[in-house]
Amino acid sequence: MIYISVAFKEEAKPLLQQWQFQRDKNAPCTIYAAKHIYLLITQMGQENAKRALEALLCYRPPQPQDCFINFGICAAPVSYAIGEVLRCNHLIYRRQSLRLDSKNTCILQTHDAPCDTEQPHAVDMESFALFQKALPRFARCYCIKVVSDHFQPQAASTRTMAALLHRGVSTLKEIVHENSHCHRS
């Protein structure tokens, strides 16, 4: 199986359009399921993300060959274009650091609140907590972020989010295709 997490329903919309997901109404969290994919909507923030992922992992425990993908928006320095797709492999939260097995070298820093001051790296609010839980449980982990703003959180609106994320869907689809052998019959 391929487990994909997003923070918001708006981030899920382009994915719901790509695959034939059905909402799992029996799940203890917001999960959509397709043939070989689970889509988890965590809500904003590390605590929400951690609780939602824990609930999914208890409800649908991963197998050793399964993979995990976190997909969504991020703020980034002006050196990154709005809509640019980032494949992040180095995650930072305060003085802690996690590395994903990836050929890419993009750093993503997790903050506890929307960040409105310039930072040296891309920033989100959920990834670090998600990958703390996911790394020991999944064979492969990926972090795909799309730049939504340059540390102007008010610029990231639900009206523009889906259009921005469509740019990242092709990268996500490549990863899903590469890992399609992960699914269980």
Side-chain angles (χ1 to χ4, degrees):
M1 293 295 287
I2 298 170
Y3 293 64
I4 301 173
S5 73
V6 298
F8 306 106
K9 175 84 177 207
E10 291 299 319
E11 290 176 323
K13 281 183 179 178
L15 306 180
L16 293 169
Q17 294 168 356
Q18 291 296 314
W19 291 282
Q20 296 178 343
F21 284 106
Q22 296 295 317
R23 172 87 188 258
D24 184 343
K25 296 186 189 279
N26 297 318
C29 49
T30 307
I31 300 171
Y32 292 84
K35 183 177 178 185
H36 60 280
I37 303 171
Y38 292 127
L39 175 61
L40 170 68
I41 301 175
T42 66
Q43 299 307 316
M44 185 170 70
Q46 290 199 89
E47 285 304 312
N48 288 332
K50 186 172 22 174
R51 273 194 302 276
L53 183 58
E54 285 171 348
L56 172 59
L57 296 177
C58 288
Y59 181 67
R60 298 284 186 229
Q63 298 299 308
Q65 71 275 14
D66 292 347
C67 68
F68 176 78
I69 305 167
N70 176 235
F71 179 71
I73 61 169
C74 70
V78 295
S79 58
Y80 296 102
I82 300 296
E84 187 169 343
V85 179
L86 309 178
R87 289 182 71 155
C88 306
N89 78 323
H90 186 186
L91 309 175
I92 299 170
Y93 177 66
R94 297 185 178 160
R95 291 191 168 93
Q96 300 174 28
S97 177
L98 296 172
R99 294 243 181 215
L100 307 182
D101 186 22
S102 174
K103 300 171 190 154
N104 304 297
T105 58
C106 182
I107 297 172
L108 180 66
Q109 189 167 359
T110 298
H111 283 249
D112 293 320
C115 197
D116 61 1
T117 57
E118 184 78 20
Q119 300 293 312
H121 308 293
V123 171
D124 85 336
M125 292 177 56
E126 296 82 26
S127 292
F128 195 86
L130 288 168
F131 286 100
Q132 272 187 311
K133 290 286 176 195
L135 280 169
R137 305 283 302 272
F138 291 91
R140 288 163 303 285
C141 291
Y142 304 90
C143 184
I144 308 301
K145 296 293 177 174
V146 178
V147 178
S148 63
D149 63 275
H150 296 125
F151 303 105
Q152 299 166 322
Q154 68 281 5
S157 74
T158 55
R159 290 187 335 268
T160 60
M161 196 178 301
L164 283 174
L165 288 169
H166 274 291
R167 297 175 186 176
V169 169
S170 62
T171 301
L172 185 63
K173 285 172 73 174
E174 289 172 15
I175 292 170
V176 168
H177 180 72
E178 289 169 13
N179 289 280
S180 61
H181 68 280
C182 295
H183 75 277
R184 296 173 244 176
S185 299

